[in-house]
């Protein structure tokens, strides 16, 4: 484990033990009492004080924007991709096994686009970039990646089963796309297998030493706080409706990263040490409406949302559930032009938005990592990587361009490219030195370094946002659907200052 992560261990060991208990509990134990009905909040009780307050080193204003993206290592990546364009370099030698754990086929959570995009990235890496450990100056290839995908149901038992199956294959590292439980970490740690998290959604994803959550936007931590920052600061909403995914991670993400920031802003939270945002919008009211996954119709929940008379609606869930809610609200007369809707990037489905029609969907906002679905809004190398994403997904992905525009496809492609990037840099042109520990040691030292298809990688800076120490990138971007394409409306910002000085809130 990198020394910086060892330093963090002492600060969070108590938090991690409590988080394990919370995330490993049964669904009915984790869900708050408000899941059965809407909960209007004008003055909420203090959250459960299960952890010490985070350190107060983060920025103090929600408008403070982090750097647009690191440049360290960017030249390496550009030279590699330019070399591949000039003359593709095919990987040779013994396979490098990388595990990939992903929920698929379960109505409570299924993200097939995540693994399809990762597999497309592997084909690009192996067929054109020379695999991992290539020497681009000499034009010599590295070794091919063999991606071992384990598809899991949304159950703790299946999470552990997948982890055991992947650990038995002795991979260089394991990529965890989204995991609702966090009980896989102990298995990989015991086997000394590095873990890279593509999209952190549970408290363990955020707080575990030795875990590297590299996904742009920082999963729930960056995206959900970014949603709250955007709807209140940019859209000036004062009646905010927050339907939320009634899943184990959804409970925590709603209470800790959506309800809590709103309570900071209206001043009703008991503890927000050193937080300049406390009471900033005293008139702010909000409602939380639990939405169970996999339902064909959520008219009852949509009615609760609209009866609140919101001037801003925020939702984050698996893609299918997002559009079920949109359709249910539309049947009740809602359109994006009437009441602004802000969705997380997890909801993205360009084909579905076109199918529903611009008369309903035009104007919907999305918040997530830098949107490589819209190259025109980007510049420099990030724009080049967005163009590469579109081309290589069309060439290599199951489902091609349609898959490229769904939910977590951009995350799946990017996390695979990030693993290639840092593994290859660590190998320094010697395929025999391809090593998972070397890769994560390099990741652990990053501070505003290059991150393929995203804003800067800053794993070493996570301690500033304790207890959320494992998140390497919490910068987000807001885009808006104009009926035909996404347009960027706010670049590279963070909502983390909204939760500065607060306790973790597990929703109990």
């Amino acid at each position: 484990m990198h020394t910086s992560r060892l330093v963090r261990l002492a600060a969070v060991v108590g938090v991690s033990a409590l988080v394990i208990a919370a995330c490993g509990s049964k669904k009915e134990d984790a869900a708050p009492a408000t899941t059965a009905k809407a909960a209007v909040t004008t003055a909420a009780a203090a959250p459960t004080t299960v952890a010490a307050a985070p350190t107060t080193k983060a920025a103090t204003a929600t408008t403070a924007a982090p750097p647009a993206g690191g440049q360290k290592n960017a030249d390496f990546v550009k030279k590699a991709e330019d070399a591949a364009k000039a003359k593709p370099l095919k990987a040779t030698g013994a396979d490098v096994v990388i595990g990939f754990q992903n929920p698929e086929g379960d109505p409570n959570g299924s993200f097939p686009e995540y693994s399809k995009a990762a597999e497309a990235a592997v084909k690009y890496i192996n067929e054109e970039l020379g695999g991992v450990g290539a020497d681009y100056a000499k034009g010599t290839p590295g070794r091919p990646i063999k991606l071992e995908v384990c598809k899991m149901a949304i159950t703790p038992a299946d999470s552990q089963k997948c982890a055991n199956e992947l650990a038995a294959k002795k991979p260089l590292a394991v990529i965890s796309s989204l995991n609702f439980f966090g009980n896989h970490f102990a298995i990989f740690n015991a086997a000394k297998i590095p873990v890279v998290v593509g999209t952190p959604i549970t408290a363990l994803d955020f707080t575990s030493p030795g875990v590297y959550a590299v996904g742009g936007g920082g999963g729930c931590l960056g995206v959900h706080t970014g949603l709250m920052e955007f709807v209140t600061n940019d859209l000036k909403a004062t009646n905010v409706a927050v339907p939320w995914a009634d899943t184990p991670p959804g409970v925590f993400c709603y209470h800790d990263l959506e309800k809590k920031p709103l309570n900071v802003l209206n001043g009703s939270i008991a503890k927000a040490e050193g937080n300049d945002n406390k009471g900033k919008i005293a008139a702010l009211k909000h409602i939380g409406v639990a939405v169970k996954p996999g339902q064909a119709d959520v008219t009852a929940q949509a009615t609760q949302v609209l009866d609140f008379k919101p001037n801003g609606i925020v939702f984050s869930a698996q893609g299918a559930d997002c559009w079920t809610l949109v359709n249910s609200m539309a049947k009740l007369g809602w359109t994006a032009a009437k009441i602004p809707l802000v969705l997380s990037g997890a909801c993205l489905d360009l084909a579905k938005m076109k199918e529903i029609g611009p008369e309903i969907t035009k104007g919907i906002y999305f918040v997530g990592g830098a949107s490589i679905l819209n190259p025109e809004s980007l510049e420099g190398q990030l724009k080049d990587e967005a163009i590469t994403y579109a081309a290589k997904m069309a060439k290599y992905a199951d489902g091609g361009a349609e898959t490229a525009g769904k939910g977590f496809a951009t995350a799946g492609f990017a996390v695979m490219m990030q693993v290639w990037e840092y593994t290859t840099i660590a190998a320094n042109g010697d395929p025999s030195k391809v090593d998972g520990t070397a890769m994560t040691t390099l990741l652990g030292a990053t501070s505003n370094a290059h991150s393929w298809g995203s804003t800067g990688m800053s794993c070493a800076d996570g301690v500033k946002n304790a207890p959320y120490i494992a998140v390497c990138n919490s910068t987000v971007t807001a885009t808006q659907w104009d009926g035909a394409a996404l347009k960027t409306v706010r670049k590279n910002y963070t909502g983390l200052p909204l939760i500065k000085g607060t306790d973790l809130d597990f929703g109990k």
Side-chain angles (χ1 to χ4, degrees):
M1 187 185 300
H2 191 267
T3 53
S4 64
R5 293 300 169 113
L6 288 171
V7 171
R8 301 177 199 179
L9 176 58
V12 300
V13 65
V15 175
S16 296
L18 288 162
V19 170
I20 290 168
C23 291
S25 63
K26 292 186 294 184
K27 167 66 181 65
E28 57 267 29
D29 295 331
T34 56
T35 57
K37 60 182 180 180
V40 180
T41 307
T42 54
T48 307
T49 54
V50 295
T55 56
T56 56
K57 296 182 182 179
T60 56
T62 59
T63 54
Q71 293 306 306
K72 185 177 180 182
N73 304 330
D75 287 346
F76 171 87
V77 175
K78 178 172 174 49
K79 288 176 182 177
E81 296 199 316
D82 284 350
K85 290 174 186 175
K87 184 179 180 181
L89 190 61
K90 187 177 178 65
T92 61
D95 288 341
V96 174
V97 175
I98 294 177
F100 197 93
Q101 189 165 343
N102 188 48
E104 295 189 39
D106 189 326
N108 291 311
S110 181
F111 311 98
E113 75 280 3
Y114 217 133
S115 58
K116 288 179 180 180
E119 289 168 336
V122 167
K123 290 177 182 176
Y124 170 47
I125 292 165
N126 289 345
E127 296 296 322
E128 301 185 42
L129 291 173
V132 286
D135 187 324
Y136 299 103
K138 295 179 179 179
T140 54
R143 296 160 58 190
I145 294 172
K146 181 180 181 182
L147 194 67
E148 292 283 359
V149 178
C150 186
K151 300 175 182 179
M152 55 171 280
I154 302 296
T155 67
D158 230 37
S159 171
Q160 289 184 317
K161 179 183 176 184
C162 251
N164 283 317
E165 289 179 1
L166 290 175
K169 297 180 186 295
K170 302 186 183 306
L172 173 97
V174 169
I175 296 171
S176 174
S177 61
L178 309 100
N179 189 293
F180 285 29
F181 310 103
N183 59 359
H184 57 327
F185 290 137
I187 294 168
F188 296 131
N189 288 342
K192 295 182 170 52
I193 297 169
V195 183
V196 174
V197 175
T199 303
I201 57 173
T202 70
L204 274 176
D205 288 334
F206 307 138
T207 62
S208 295
V211 170
Y212 301 85
V214 301
C220 286
L221 178 63
V223 171
H224 287 214
T225 56
L227 288 166
M228 299 306 111
E229 155 69 7
F230 185 80
V231 76
T232 56
N233 183 73
D234 295 70
L235 301 185
K236 308 300 181 187
T238 52
N239 268 36
V240 181
V242 188
W244 53 275
D246 192 1
T247 63
V251 172
F252 173 73
C253 290
Y254 166 66
H255 284 275
D256 194 61
L257 303 171
E258 294 182 325
K259 183 191 72 176
K260 184 171 73 175
L262 294 174
N263 284 342
V264 168
L265 287 168
N266 68 21
S268 65
I269 196 166
K271 184 178 181 181
E273 293 181 357
N275 193 321
D276 293 343
N277 295 292
K278 186 174 181 180
K280 185 178 178 181
I281 310 175
L284 176 64
K285 296 181 181 180
H286 57 96
I287 183 174
V289 179
V291 180
K292 291 188 179 299
Q295 297 186 85
D297 181 80
V298 290
T299 300
Q301 292 85 347
T303 300
Q304 289 176 310
V305 167
L306 298 178
D307 283 351
F308 184 62
K309 307 296 182 187
N311 53 7
I313 303 170
V314 177
F315 190 41
S316 177
Q318 62 174 328
D321 294 336
C322 300
W323 302 109
T324 298
L325 178 67
V326 166
N327 279 321
S328 294
M329 292 196 301
K331 291 175 183 177
L332 298 172
W334 170 88
T335 68
K338 292 179 181 178
I339 305 173
L341 173 64
V342 190
L343 300 174
S344 73
C347 297
L348 264 176
D349 190 330
L350 303 184
K352 179 62 70 174
M353 287 188 283
K354 291 175 182 177
E355 176 188 318
I356 294 172
E359 65 279 4
I360 293 172
T361 63
K362 183 179 179 180
I364 291 178
Y365 297 93
F366 294 88
V367 170
S371 180
I372 58 174
L373 289 175
N374 183 24
E376 291 75 16
S377 69
L378 305 173
E379 57 190 23
Q381 188 163 335
L382 186 56
K383 181 175 183 177
D384 290 343
E385 289 167 356
I387 293 169
T388 296
Y389 171 76
K392 303 312 172 187
M393 284 293 288
K395 182 176 182 179
Y396 292 121
D398 179 4
E402 184 175 348
T403 298
K406 288 184 180 290
F408 288 100
T410 56
F413 197 95
V415 71
M416 202 67 246
M417 293 299 294
Q418 289 155 9
V419 168
W420 158 79
E421 177 180 344
Y422 283 89
T423 302
T424 301
I425 291 171
N428 195 27
D430 186 346
S432 70
K433 293 183 179 178
V434 167
D435 178 77
T437 300
M439 180 263 291
T440 51
T441 296
L442 190 61
L443 272 177
T446 54
S447 179
N448 196 34
H450 179 265
S451 177
W452 199 97
S454 186
T455 49
M457 189 79 76
S458 298
C459 297
D461 297 339
V463 68
K464 298 177 182 178
N465 300 314
Y468 308 99
I469 61 166
V471 177
C472 299
N473 186 341
S474 58
T475 304
V476 294
T477 290
T479 57
Q480 188 176 29
W481 177 246
D482 69 1
L486 292 170
K487 302 297 181 183
T488 299
V489 294
R490 184 175 178 183
K491 290 183 180 180
N492 305 320
Y493 72 97
T494 178
L496 288 191
L498 290 175
I499 56 174
K500 178 183 176 183
T502 63
D503 289 331
L504 292 173
D505 185 352
F506 294 106
K508 291 198 171 186

